[in-house]
Structures are given as C-alpha cells and as structure tokens.
C-alpha cells in the first residue's frame, strides 16, 4: 500500500511547504514581508514537475521512515485502543461500548501512538522536501538525515519537532477514523445479523469514508507540522504562531493546500486496509471460531475484536 500511496504523500508535503521553502527570509523573524507566488499550480503540476526535475524515484525519498513508522504506530495504536476499551469497561457479551465510546478510544490511542510516530514523520518530511531546489539541507540517505538532525538539534528538538501538530492531527483523526468506519458497518448489518454478514463492498465503503474523515478532521495541523519539520525558520516555533503566520500570509487555502490529493489517495488506500483486515480476520476465525466480530449483532451494541 505504501508503494502506491507514498508518491502522493510526497506531493502533499511539497504542496504544503512550497511557499516557506521558496521564500525564506534572511531574518530569523517568523514574519514574512510578502507572499510569493506558489511554486506549483496544483497536485498534477507538482507531480509532473518533480518527475521531470528529479526523476520518478525521487517521489520515494524517505520511504523507509514511514514504513518503519507505520509498523510502530499500528502496533502501539491497536494495543492502546484495546487497553482504553477495557478501561472504559468493555466486556464482550456483557457490556458493549457505543460508537462514540469506541471513537473516543481511538482518539486516545492516536494521541499515544503519535509519540512513537513523530520521529519517523520528521525524517520522512525532511527527505521528501529534498525534491525542492530550495530545500534547506541535502542528505545522503535516511541514516545521514537522522545523524545530522540529532547532531544539530538533539533528540527532543530534532526528532520531536512538530509533536503538538501531530497530536492535533492524530487525536481528532483517529476519533473520526474508528467512528466513521464502525458507523458505516453498523448501519449495513441486517437485523439480527453480525458483521460477518457484510460483504466486501461495505468494508471498502467504510474504509474509504474513514480515510477521508481522518484527513479532513483537522488537516491544517498536518500542514503546520510539515512546515515546522521542513523549514528551519519554524523549527523552534510553536503550533499557534506558525498556524497564524500561514493563515496571515496564505489564508485558509494555504492551510488546506494538498488536501484534495490527500483525500483522493486516502479513500482507496484505507478502503483496502479495512477490507484486507476483515478478510484476515475471516482467516483467523477458521482456526479460532471464538474471535469476536468488530461489531456485535445488530441490536444496538458494538464490540471490537481483541
């Protein structure tokens, strides 16, 4: 999935950071004197320009970072999600959680997972913006990027740059991700049936809707995070000053630059994620019939698999 998805993520980051990377002032003041014209006219122009200038493989710069980050994030995310559900009193067969409670569990889990994900996000973004001729630094590879970042900025200031932005993306994002998917599935369960009665089309629809909801929840947080991680001018600034500076110089369009292509890539990518997850669970059930459904019978109660 990452092999298909990642080039579009690179385009998203380049669109988000284009103005700051192309107009860094000599002064360290966060204020820009004027707004410059965007480097790219849109997602298609950004994609074609990057391929023409740096080649197709440039779209995959930094790919190992999100691959490793995804594994770490998902492990922590689902472990945390299960633990939060237990803390809320979920007991399969006895007490089931509502969709709102499950969504809240996802939000808490997303916040916890963000602390494991942020170092990978920092390295990923810095590798991706190397596609811009105005990138502040050039690295020889992933390891060199990590070493330079730690040497020049330290672990906390370097690898955890933009942590607040990531929290503000992951908490509402995962609230919507879990909530929307479960809502779609629950709405399609026949009376007296279970999630096992749902066809793959429902899982695809639920996953696609969840993916778009995740990125729409608070997309500006991702834009601010990309700016903080990519632009040395913003490195030591907080979320609010950078948010207000982008809003002042570029308007709301600047905060939502890249959202269109992100939502478009999220729909098929997340549809496949959930469809494959459900099919994998079906395989597990062949060996262990006691594996719980993500949603219990259509009776108003919902439960997730452990």
């Amino acid at each position: 999935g990452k092999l298909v998805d990642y080039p579009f993520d690179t385009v998203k980051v380049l669109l988000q950071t284009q103005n700051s990377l192309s107009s860094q002032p000599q002064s360290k003041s966060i204020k820009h004197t004027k707004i410059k014209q965007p480097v790219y006219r849109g997602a298609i122009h950004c994609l074609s320009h990057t391929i023409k200038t740096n080649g197709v493989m440039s779209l995959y710069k930094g790919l190992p970072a999100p691959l490793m980050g995804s594994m770490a994030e998902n492990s922590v995310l689902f472990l945390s999600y299960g633990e939060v559900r237990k803390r809320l009193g979920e007991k399969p067969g006895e007490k089931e959680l509502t969709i709102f409670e499950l969504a809240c569990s996802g939000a808490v889990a997303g916040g916890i997972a963000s602390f494991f994900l942020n170092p990978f996000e920092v390295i990923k973004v810095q590798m991706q913006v190397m596609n811009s001729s105005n990138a502040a630094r050039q690295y020889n590879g992933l390891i060199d990027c990590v070493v330079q970042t730690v040497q020049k900025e330290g672990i906390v200031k370097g690898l955890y740059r933009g942590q607040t932005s990531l929290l503000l993306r992951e908490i509402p994002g995962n609230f919507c991700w879990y909530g929307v998917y479960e809502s779609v599935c629950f709405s399609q369960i026949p009376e007296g049936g279970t999630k096992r009665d749902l066809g793959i089309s429902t899982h695809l629809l639920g996953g696609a809707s969840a993916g778009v909801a995740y990125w729409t929840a608070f997309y500006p947080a991702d834009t601010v995070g990309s700016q903080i991680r990519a632009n040395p001018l913003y490195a030591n600034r907080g979320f609010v000053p950078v948010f207000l500076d982008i809003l002042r110089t570029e308007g709301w369009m600047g905060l939502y630059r890249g959202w269109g292509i992100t939502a478009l890539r999220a729909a098929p990518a997340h549809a496949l994620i959930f469809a494959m997850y459900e099919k994998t669970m079906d395989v597990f059930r062949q060996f262990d019939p006691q594996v719980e459904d993500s949603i219990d019978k259509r009776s108003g109660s919902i439960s997730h698999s452990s």
Side-chain angles (χ1 to χ4, degrees):
K2 281 292 181 184
L3 293 176
V4 177
D5 175 78
Y6 193 72
F8 298 102
D9 185 76
T10 297
V11 170
K12 178 204 73 171
V13 171
L14 289 174
L15 288 171
Q16 289 175 324
T17 60
Q18 58 181 316
N19 276 15
S20 62
L21 290 175
S22 64
S23 58
Q24 290 182 23
Q26 296 298 317
S27 169
K28 291 187 177 181
S29 171
I30 195 171
K31 296 182 178 179
H32 297 310
T33 56
K34 63 178 181 178
I35 306 172
K36 292 194 175 183
Q37 289 297 317
V39 177
Y40 310 109
R41 294 190 295 270
I44 301 301
H45 178 236
C46 180
L47 181 64
S48 61
H49 180 272
T50 302
I51 293 175
K52 182 179 180 180
T53 305
N54 301 311
V56 175
M57 293 309 296
S58 67
L59 295 170
Y60 289 92
K61 283 182 179 178
L63 178 59
L67 283 176
M68 293 183 289
S70 179
M71 290 186 287
E73 178 193 21
N74 287 332
S75 297
V76 176
L77 184 66
F78 286 106
L79 284 173
S80 301
Y81 182 61
E83 185 60 32
V84 174
R85 292 192 343 251
K86 292 178 182 178
R87 296 284 182 178
L88 289 177
E90 181 187 56
K91 295 180 181 179
E94 296 181 23
K95 180 185 177 182
E96 312 297 348
L97 300 182
T98 65
I99 289 178
F100 178 75
E101 289 174 321
L102 292 172
C104 288
S105 299
V108 174
I112 295 172
S114 71
F115 289 94
F116 293 84
L117 178 61
N118 199 69
F120 299 100
E121 285 282 307
V122 170
I123 300 305
K124 174 185 77 74
V125 169
Q126 293 194 77
M127 293 293 291
Q128 288 173 319
V129 298
M130 283 171 56
N131 284 295
S132 169
S133 59
N134 299 289
R137 298 178 187 170
Q138 293 293 318
Y139 306 101
N140 295 321
L142 184 68
I143 302 301
D144 182 48
C145 182
V146 175
V147 171
Q148 284 197 48
T149 300
V150 173
Q151 285 181 340
K152 294 180 180 180
E153 303 173 56
I155 294 177
V156 176
K157 288 187 177 181
L159 296 181
Y160 280 91
R161 186 194 304 174
Q163 177 61 43
T164 300
S165 300
L166 192 59
L167 277 169
L168 292 174
R169 186 191 83 183
E170 291 295 298
I171 292 176
N174 278 285
F175 178 92
C176 294
W177 197 59
Y178 283 100
V180 169
Y181 178 71
E182 299 294 11
S183 295
V184 171
C185 289
F186 182 68
S187 69
Q188 298 302 309
I189 295 177
E191 191 68 34
T194 70
K195 196 174 183 181
R196 300 185 197 186
D197 299 318
L198 297 176
I200 190 171
S201 60
T202 299
H203 300 309
L204 289 171
L205 175 61
S209 302
V212 174
Y214 171 89
W215 282 107
T216 304
F218 192 29
Y219 185 80
D222 188 69
T223 298
V224 173
S226 293
Q227 294 272 21
I228 291 174
R229 298 181 188 104
N231 188 355
L233 179 67
Y234 291 130
N236 297 314
R237 304 287 180 172
F239 176 86
V240 174
V242 176
F243 177 92
L244 293 177
D245 189 57
I246 297 172
L247 182 62
R248 181 181 65 83
T249 58
E250 301 179 52
W252 286 103
M253 291 300 293
L255 289 167
Y256 279 92
R257 185 172 288 122
W259 174 84
I261 192 172
T262 301
L264 285 175
R265 73 178 174 87
H270 289 253
L272 290 174
I273 288 173
F274 277 106
M276 291 302 296
Y277 168 77
E278 296 297 347
K279 287 299 180 183
T280 301
M281 294 303 294
D282 287 340
V283 173
F284 286 161
R285 292 186 188 103
Q286 293 179 9
F287 298 96
D288 183 7
Q290 299 303 314
V291 173
E292 296 287 340
D293 282 319
S294 290
I295 299 180
D296 205 352
K297 289 186 177 182
R298 181 66 183 273
S299 59
S301 61
I302 307 154
S303 64
H304 275 252
S305 55
S306 300

